[in-house]
Amino acid sequence: MSVQDQSDLALPPGSAELMPPEALARHRAFMRREAPKVESDWMQVDTYKARIEPVDASMIDRLHELTVSVFWPHRASDIELVLGLGTGYLALDEIGRPLSSVMGFPSGEDFTMLGMMVTTPRLQSQGTGGRLLRRVMTEQAGRDLRLSATRQGYRLYEGAGFTPVRLVYQHQGVARAIRPPEPVQGVSIRPMQESDLPAIRALDTHAYGAERTAILDALLGVSDVLVAERGGAIEGYAMMRNFGKGRVIGPLVAEQDGVAMQLAAEFIMAHEGEFLRLDTIIESERFEAFVSAAGLGVYDTVTDMRYGRLRRAQSGPMTYGLAMQSLG
């Protein structure tokens, strides 16, 4: 591949070499399709025209309406949280009904998580999602990208050059009484203190693959936070906040199953009888069996996909629980 060929891949230096050639070819073909400039934000959808508008705080109700149409559990307050963390677009029909959305959540200098990618079911083959995806990918040029692909969106993202990494397992249900897991020797679980913040940020940056300061700060502001401490050092943390039908455990970062289980158990036991959710990308039979035994069975799966380098940690502190699928 020539230098000129690589220049149009919109990736950080060195990332293109880590992508399958066929994925890069699909990306080029996808991006060469018509992508009108911002000044002509109209497109023909089915038998009527639709317009594209930048997402802002005034669109919470419309985005909520769109997520309800695809049976996402997000509440208006969940959408309000993410709106302040990224930028994106919403496609609306001629009378203002929402048709499709996409957002990008930048972290650090060269990484962006794509999320809030929703298209109303009646229009999922009309090209609205692809049009918005091309625009956001163009705006995020020079960054590695990641997204969580539903079954309905998988072919679109694969056609845009994304490659699958692994499944994300959505565990959820009414928490039931459990026996506490065998404690890891020397590890204690306690509420976060202000002095723990630098260690939490370092753990998260390693596990997530980018420094997501704004996202982490926003989550800290609405979450209960626990840390796992050993010999005065923080080696794991977990958050829980209100989300969807109840509460979500995440992010959850730890170096081993036992510590992750101890962190999750504290929240599960404290909220027995309540609806809880935990999305995990870690393929650990032990951890998943523990979560399922607590009443949080596997409800659904999505696919973690990347365009660019594999940024998520494969060793050391790793992400046992996602903040949410749109934020990673």
Side-chain angles (χ1 to χ4, degrees):
M1 184 182 296
S2 70
V3 174
Q4 183 176 0
D5 289 335
Q6 289 190 25
S7 67
D8 67 351
L9 299 177
L11 286 170
S15 290
E17 291 85 348
L18 302 176
M19 288 288 293
E22 61 271 19
L24 297 178
R26 289 196 300 269
H27 174 74
R28 283 198 188 89
F30 177 78
M31 297 302 287
R32 284 171 183 161
R33 296 172 196 168
E34 183 182 3
K37 296 180 180 179
V38 176
E39 297 84 54
S40 68
D41 279 341
W42 289 90
M43 58 181 168
Q44 190 72 31
V45 180
D46 199 16
T47 59
Y48 52 86
K49 285 186 176 182
R51 70 181 188 275
I52 298 173
E53 294 188 3
V55 167
D56 60 36
S58 70
M59 297 183 177
I60 293 174
D61 290 341
R62 285 171 169 170
L63 281 168
H64 188 226
E65 179 183 344
L66 189 58
T67 59
V68 168
S69 75
V70 293
F71 305 105
W72 284 14
H74 297 54
R75 303 164 305 163
S77 56
D78 300 325
I79 294 171
E80 183 179 12
L81 175 68
V82 300
L83 281 183
L85 299 174
T87 59
Y89 295 95
L90 182 66
L92 303 164
D93 69 11
E94 293 169 302
I95 59 172
R97 293 178 299 184
L99 306 176
S100 188
S101 66
V102 63
M103 290 188 69
F105 303 97
S107 295
E109 297 181 353
D110 60 358
F111 177 80
T112 293
M113 182 81 191
L114 302 185
M116 290 303 296
M117 293 180 289
V118 190
T119 298
T120 187
R122 72 182 188 278
L123 297 175
Q124 286 179 354
S125 61
Q126 299 294 324
T128 55
R131 169 82 173 269
L132 297 184
L133 179 59
R134 274 191 292 276
R135 167 149 320 161
V136 169
M137 291 185 75
T138 298
E139 291 182 350
Q140 301 298 330
R143 292 173 172 265
D144 292 319
L145 306 176
R146 181 192 299 157
L147 57 79
S148 299
T150 62
R151 293 177 182 85
Q152 295 81 5
Y154 184 91
R155 290 184 63 184
L156 169 63
Y157 309 134
E158 183 181 46
F162 286 85
T163 61
V165 178
R166 62 177 63 172
L167 291 178
V168 176
Y169 296 89
Q170 180 180 329
H171 288 261
Q172 65 181 49
V174 176
R176 55 179 177 237
I178 57 170
R179 178 182 299 177
E182 190 71 24
V184 176
Q185 185 174 4
V187 172
S188 60
I189 307 299
R190 61 167 175 78
M192 182 198 83
Q193 300 171 358
E194 192 70 26
S195 58
D196 300 326
L197 204 50
I200 289 174
R201 294 190 192 282
L203 287 168
D204 190 79
T205 297
H206 176 87
Y208 187 71
E211 187 177 346
R212 52 174 176 174
T213 303
I215 292 174
L216 208 59
D217 286 349
L219 295 173
L220 286 165
V222 295
S223 302
D224 296 325
V225 189
L226 298 173
V227 297
E229 184 178 30
R230 188 203 303 259
I234 305 302
E235 64 173 61
Y237 81 91
M239 298 189 193
M240 172 181 272
R241 70 183 190 279
N242 293 332
F243 177 82
K245 299 177 181 179
R247 301 172 189 267
V248 63
I249 299 173
L252 192 167
V253 173
E255 292 194 36
Q256 55 177 293
D257 293 351
V259 174
M261 290 162 57
Q262 281 186 246
L263 285 163
E266 291 289 327
F267 284 133
I268 292 169
M269 292 187 295
H271 296 279
E272 181 183 336
E274 299 181 29
F275 188 91
L276 304 181
R277 173 172 170 173
L278 189 153
D279 294 88
T280 185
I281 195 169
I282 299 295
E283 294 179 352
S284 163
E285 292 185 5
R286 183 185 178 203
F287 180 74
E288 292 191 16
F290 166 76
V291 174
S292 296
L296 282 61
V298 176
Y299 174 77
D300 198 4
T301 61
V302 297
T303 304
D304 189 55
M305 303 186 77
R306 66 181 173 95
Y307 179 67
R309 287 183 291 144
L310 177 60
R311 305 285 293 249
R312 198 184 295 281
Q314 304 300 300
S315 62
M318 295 185 291
T319 303
Y320 277 80
L322 275 62
M324 63 187 293
Q325 291 176 7
S326 287
L327 295 178

